[in-house]
Structure formats: C-alpha cells, structure tokens
Amino acid sequence: MKQNRPLARAVTWFDLKAAPYVLISPYFLLFAVFGLFPLGFTVWVSLHDWELAGDRAWLGFTNYTELLVDADFWNAVVNTLGMFVLATIPQLLLALVLANALNKRMRFRLLYRLGVLVPMVTSIVAVAVVFGQLFARDHGAFNWLLGTDGLDWQADKLTSWTAISVMVDWRWTGYNALIYLAAMQAIPRDLYEAAAIDGASPRRQFWRITVPMLRPAIIFTALTSTIGGLSLFTEPVMFAQGDVGGGSLGQFQTVAMYMYESAFRDRDYGYASAVAWMLFLLILLVSLVSFLFTRRIGGTK
Amino acid sequence: MNDSLPRATLLTRVMLAAALVLSAFPIYWMFVIATRGNDVVGQVPPPLLPGGDLGDNLERLWATKDANFLLGLTNSAIVASTVTVSVVLLSSLAGFAFAKLRFRGRNPLLVLVLLTMAVPLQQMGIIPLYIMMVKLGWAGELKAVILPFLVNAFGVFFMRQYVEQAIPDELIEAARVDGCSTLRIYWSIVFPALRPAIAVLGLLTFMQTWNEFIWPMVVLTPSNPTVQLSLSALNGAHFQDYTLVFTGTALSTVPLIVIFVLFGRQIVGGIMEGAVK
C-alpha cells in the first residue's frame, strides 16, 4: 500500500493538471485543421494566381485591386445588401409582433410555438424548390393570387429579391419570434402592472417596456441575421435551378455565389479567396452597423 | 406565472392561426403534390388535396438515374449520424472542462471558441478546404463532408452553458474526495445529467448536417451525392415535372418531420433556453 502512494499522487496530479487539456484537445485539434488553418490559408491563396494543378504565381494585392474595380463584384455586393435589407427588416418586425402574440394566456400554447418553428426544420433546398414553383412565371400560385399573370419573378432585381426574401423570411421569422418570446418571459410582470396603473395602453406598454427590455435579444438576432443574410447562397442558387450566376444578368447573384463562381467554375482560386475576404470584411462592417443601430432601440428618449 | 399574462384577444388568435397556416402550407402542399399525377401541372389554382399517385411518383423517382436519390438518402443518413455523435460527444467533453475544471488558459481559450462562433468559417475557408481535400485525394468521398463538421463552436458553448447550471460544484468536489478521476466524473456524473442537452444539440446538429448544401456541392460529385445534392440535381433537370421534384423534396423532408413530431417540444425548449442566457 505504502509504496503505491507516490504513484497514486502522481496519477492524481496528472489527472488534475492534464485532464482538462485532454478533454478540450479533440475540439481544438479538429478546429485547427478544418477551421483555423483554411481561414488563414485563404489569405495566402488570395495573394496568388492559384491553380489546382500546383501552378501558382505570386501576385501580391493584384487580386484585391482588380476586385475593387470589378463591376460584377459590386453588382453582387449591391444584390446581397439589397436582399439583406429587404429580408431582415420585415422579418425582425414580424417576429416581434408574433412573439408578442405568443406571449398571451391561451390554450394550445405549445402547438403555436411548434407551428411557427416548423419552417426551420425543412431544408433550405426543399423550401426553395417549393417556393420556386409558387413563384413560377406560368401557373405559379403567387401570380394567380396577385393577378400578375405571366410575371417573371426572376427577370429583374426587385422581383427576384422579393421572392428570395420571402423564402428567407418564411424560414426564419418563427425562430426569431421564439427568441424574442423567451426574452419577453424574463421581463418582470410588475413593470406592466405599474404602467397599467399609470394608464398606459397595451400598445404604449409594448413600445415603452417590452421593446427596450428586449434589446439584448434584438441585438443577438440582428447579428445572426447579418451573418446569415450576407452569406446568402442556397436560396438564390436554387431559385435559379442550381445556377450560381444569379439570373441572366446576375440580377440576384450574391457575393457568396460570386465567390463560388470564381472558384469552382472559373477555377480562379486566388481571386475567389480575395472575394471571400471581402465578404468577411463586408460582414464585419454591416455587423457593426447593425449593432450600433439596434443598440439605440428604445434607448434614452 | 402564465396566469398573470393578459388573455389573448380575438385579433391575436386570428393572427396566430394565420401564422400557423402560412408556416405549414408550403410543407403541406409539398406532400400534396407528391401524391398527384402529372395532370396537375399547369393547373390554376394549384391542387390543394392529396391524390393517389404517391407510389407511381416514387417509382419514377427511383428510375431517375441522374438524381441518385436512394444513394443520396443513404449518404446523408451516414454523414448526419456520424457528425451528430461526434459533435455531441466532443462538445460535452470540452463543455464540461470549460464549465467545471480549473486550468491555465481557460478563459482565453473560451473567448477563442466564442469568437469563432461569429465567423462564417464555412464560407471563408471553403477554397483552401477544397484544395486540401483534392490534395489528400478525398474529394468526392463521404469523409470530405464529415471531417470538417465533427466539431463546432456552438456545440461547445451550448454544452458549457448547460453543464454550468445543471451540475453543482459540490457534486464534483464530493466525487473528487471519493477518489473519482476526471474521466470517471464525466462518465458517471456529467454525461447522465446532460441527457436533455444532448437531445437538443443532437437534434439540431442532425438537422443542420442533413440540410448542408454548399460544401457538399463543392466537394462531392453527382455520382456520390448527399440528399440535398440529389434534390438540386432533380430540380435542375426536371423542373417542369414538378410532381417528380416534389416527391423527392417531400421524401428528403420526412426524416426531419419525424424528428420534429417526436422531439419538437425539446427543440422549442432548447432554443428558448439558449436565448435567455
């Protein structure tokens, strides 16, 4: 027994000091190989004329300077920002209204919550296939409902952006509503009771108590929508039956689609990597704007 | 707590009912069209009730060689299951360490995890990842779509939050006093207590992996697709034949609907709990 003591102590010491690193190492190893390394390597590739066969030539920042005067790239930036605004603002407002409706005393509460979440469990590809038919030029349900017979939703910017935004909003509004609902339930009820005693109408209570108290949740959803919205890819690709060109004139080609096209159709990996970094920059920039904008919500009046 | 909420007005109820119909309609309609014959193509307004042609449509789907649908379904099942097991296991290990163990560098490492949650890594690293897979000769193989998804930052963060609040420090101290090793504590105390979190993270991961599109599109070929690629190929080649396309779409959604019917309550709970923290 006694001679085992040092060994046992060593084992315990090892267990206390090393075990945490053993537990986190699988995550960090895999993350380093498949997450961090590719991210850093994109910088290196973007500074080259890079081909798969192994031919590469150092270009410095040429890919970036070319990109800055590339009309197709700026077209994709405009499209991405346009669809982002067109999809996100109605989506978050609608989610807010929906959450407020869900935050009432009623029967079948779980059913309603499940109902608004259903769209999120379908795949984006499936959603886009179904909406592609609903937005079809000939015999599409939307054209029938709106009386716009023969309207080709893909033909110009505004209609194609609208159709794609509808797909995005259909999928994500309920999810955001549940996040707002959770935050609403954390607001102390006596705030409302005090306001009601002071004669504040429900509408006033909503804008003066609920919305300001939801600020952290609104910032969170604005940031996730920014990241998701600016890397929009699947919906517009499927809307064009799998083409990454985004319509005949690129009227709904997003930056992510342009990156894909440069890399995997034109085989210009260096240029596409530069697009990837510009996309990252764009996401950072718009995230910052979203953050500054939503931070002011219901703030000091 | 629920009692102090104001009652739902008629307007609220009507609005919620409309939201339910709008949410469910595209999915319902997808299944309706999957059961109809091609006589409905071009019908205005589109049909709203199911028909009896599901078997026919399925046979046509199997016969559509360019979509490889059965292989797509099988591949997706393999990929999504493998990824789910890995994410749940590795996230719970790391989450436990971050929540309950003391070690040097814990906080900076946790901040690193949080930062990577905010970066769309999938889009950013896609080109080097592709070059890497080609060099390794793995392009076109299932491991190319499995390996990059084996861990994710959200899983670690989610598990850390859960372990933090679900397991009291005293319980772990007591186990240590009794001579339990760290791994033993994980296996006998932490893992069993994590069951609800494992269910939620597992379901979300499975659904997300099943729905993955851009990376499989880059690295796989139509001859060895995931189900989303089969679907995309089907839609690209047979857009006009929409009963066939919708049959594929409906079929690819069935596993997700089953999961949602069985575990929807836990998923709603998981999303709402995650939001509060």
Side-chain angles (χ1 to χ4, degrees):
Chain A
M1 239 6 231
K2 207 153 192 186
Q3 52 268 52
N4 274 342
R5 275 251 176 90
L7 179 66
R9 210 173 297 142
V11 169
T12 309
W13 180 87
F14 180 81
D15 186 52
L16 279 174
K17 291 291 169 193
Y21 297 106
V22 174
L23 296 187
I24 61 170
S25 58
Y27 170 78
F28 281 102
L29 282 177
L30 285 163
F31 170 71
V33 175
F34 295 107
L36 210 56
F37 168 70
L39 191 66
F41 202 53
T42 312
V43 183
W44 185 242
V45 177
S46 77
L47 300 174
H48 290 79
D49 179 12
W50 195 294
E51 281 162 40
L52 253 196
D55 299 336
R56 70 198 62 150
W58 174 261
L59 284 181
F61 286 96
T62 311
N63 281 327
Y64 290 91
T65 49
E66 265 180 44
L67 200 54
L68 288 176
V69 293
D70 179 347
D72 290 340
F73 170 69
W74 289 109
N75 171 57
V77 170
V78 169
N79 292 342
T80 307
L81 289 174
M83 281 184 260
F84 165 66
V85 171
L86 205 58
T88 307
I89 292 174
Q91 181 191 144
L92 296 186
L93 285 175
L94 210 61
L96 204 55
V97 174
L98 195 58
N100 195 46
L102 285 166
N103 195 26
K104 294 276 167 13
R105 193 147 46 100
M106 62 188 145
R107 279 192 289 171
F108 311 123
R109 276 161 27 117
L110 184 65
L111 178 76
Y112 286 120
R113 288 177 191 182
L114 288 173
V116 299
L117 199 65
V118 159
M120 209 195 81
V121 306
T122 57
S123 79
I124 304 178
V125 174
V127 172
V129 167
V130 173
F131 276 83
Q133 286 293 343
L134 293 173
F135 279 111
R137 187 189 63 196
D138 306 312
H139 323 299
F142 278 106
N143 274 344
W144 172 68
L145 277 173
L146 300 171
T148 49
D149 206 25
L151 171 65
D152 183 358
W153 289 83
Q154 292 193 12
D156 71 88
K157 280 191 191 282
L158 201 61
T159 49
S160 57
W161 293 2
T162 307
I164 291 163
S165 299
V166 167
M167 296 181 204
V168 174
D169 287 356
W170 179 77
R171 190 175 158 85
W172 292 106
T173 303
Y175 171 78
N176 286 318
L178 283 188
I179 289 177
Y180 292 156
L181 176 62
M184 277 180 189
Q185 292 181 339
I187 301 174
R189 296 304 307 169
D190 35 348
L191 280 181
Y192 293 98
E193 279 150 25
I197 291 168
D198 290 345
S201 68
R203 180 180 299 251
R204 208 176 149 76
Q205 290 177 26
F206 177 73
W207 289 110
R208 285 301 167 89
I209 300 173
T210 311
V211 172
M213 293 291 282
L214 286 187
R215 204 183 309 156
I218 292 173
I219 292 174
F220 173 77
T221 55
L223 289 180
T224 50
S225 302
T226 304
I227 296 170
L230 294 183
S231 31
L232 191 67
F233 179 80
T234 308
E235 288 92 341
V237 168
M238 291 305 297
F239 190 52
Q241 276 91 50
D243 178 29
V244 293
S248 48
L249 298 165
Q251 60 269 31
F252 52 93
Q253 185 177 48
T254 64
V255 179
M257 288 159 85
Y258 190 60
M259 176 184 81
Y260 187 102
E261 189 181 32
S262 307
F264 303 109
R265 214 166 70 183
D266 304 345
R267 303 278 152 191
D268 198 344
Y269 297 103
Y271 198 63
S273 297
V275 177
W277 274 102
M278 295 301 278
L279 176 61
F280 182 63
L281 216 62
L282 189 70
I283 290 175
L284 270 186
L285 211 69
V286 179
S287 296
L288 192 68
V289 173
S290 305
F291 176 70
L292 292 175
F293 181 71
T294 46
R295 204 182 53 164
R296 301 177 69 99
I297 285 175
T300 45
K301 295 138 208 149
Chain B
M1 179 187 113
N2 186 21
D3 294 335
S4 63
L5 287 171
R7 270 195 152 279
T9 59
L10 184 66
L11 182 69
T12 306
R13 285 165 203 271
V14 170
M15 208 180 80
L16 286 176
L20 280 200
V21 171
L22 283 178
S23 291
F25 175 76
I27 301 169
Y28 168 78
W29 192 57
M30 174 167 92
F31 281 95
V32 166
I33 298 301
T35 64
R36 301 295 297 246
N38 255 339
D39 53 307
V40 301
V41 174
Q43 193 175 311
V44 178
L48 295 176
L49 292 174
D53 294 301
L54 180 62
D56 238 29
N57 288 338
L58 282 174
E59 261 169 46
R60 286 201 299 138
L61 185 61
W62 303 144
T64 310
K65 291 281 173 286
D66 46 358
N68 267 320
F69 218 86
L70 206 54
L71 183 62
L73 281 173
T74 319
N75 280 343
S76 281
I78 295 170
V79 172
S81 315
T82 315
V83 167
T84 302
V85 170
S86 164
V87 166
V88 165
L89 188 72
L90 300 182
S91 299
S92 68
L93 285 172
F96 162 53
F98 278 122
K100 295 292 171 187
L101 303 178
R102 313 266 161 270
F103 57 96
R104 270 164 89 86
R106 183 172 79 155
N107 289 337
L109 287 171
L110 186 61
V111 170
L112 183 64
V113 173
L114 289 179
L115 276 180
T116 59
M117 262 170 77
V119 181
L121 283 172
Q122 211 50 60
Q123 310 265 6
M124 292 296 306
I126 201 164
I127 293 158
L129 209 52
Y130 175 73
I131 295 174
M132 196 163 115
M133 290 298 172
V134 170
K135 291 268 183 272
L136 291 168
W138 294 350
E141 293 179 30
L142 284 191
K143 60 181 162 221
V145 289
I146 292 175
L147 287 167
F149 295 96
L150 288 178
V151 292
N152 68 62
F154 170 77
V156 174
F157 178 67
F158 182 86
M159 283 301 186
R160 190 204 95 99
Q161 297 301 87
Y162 195 89
V163 174
E164 182 103 314
Q165 52 96 19
I167 297 160
D169 287 340
E170 297 77 37
L171 195 59
I172 293 186
E173 293 306 323
R176 283 230 188 276
V177 172
D178 287 348
C180 276
S181 68
T182 305
L183 261 184
R184 179 79 200 277
I185 291 173
Y186 168 78
W187 190 243
S188 313
I189 298 173
V190 177
F191 196 76
L194 282 182
R195 225 171 283 156
I198 286 169
V200 173
L201 182 63
L203 295 168
L204 290 176
T205 307
F206 187 91
M207 293 195 292
Q208 208 176 1
T209 316
W210 184 267
N211 289 337
E212 197 58 53
F213 182 62
I214 178 166
W215 176 241
M217 182 171 157
V218 168
V219 82
L220 293 184
T221 55
S223 58
N224 189 28
T226 60
V227 69
Q228 307 301 336
L229 291 187
S230 294
L231 208 50
S232 173
L234 193 66
N235 190 50
H238 306 272
F239 181 69
Q240 301 302 331
D241 186 356
Y242 87 133
T243 56
L244 176 70
V245 176
F246 274 42
T247 306
T249 313
L251 199 64
S252 77
T253 310
V254 167
L256 303 174
I257 304 267
V258 170
I259 289 177
F260 193 68
V261 168
L262 292 176
F263 303 103
R265 188 193 205 113
Q266 282 88 331
I267 298 173
V268 168
I271 288 172
M272 289 184 60
E273 267 170 43
V276 185
K277 279 160 207 156

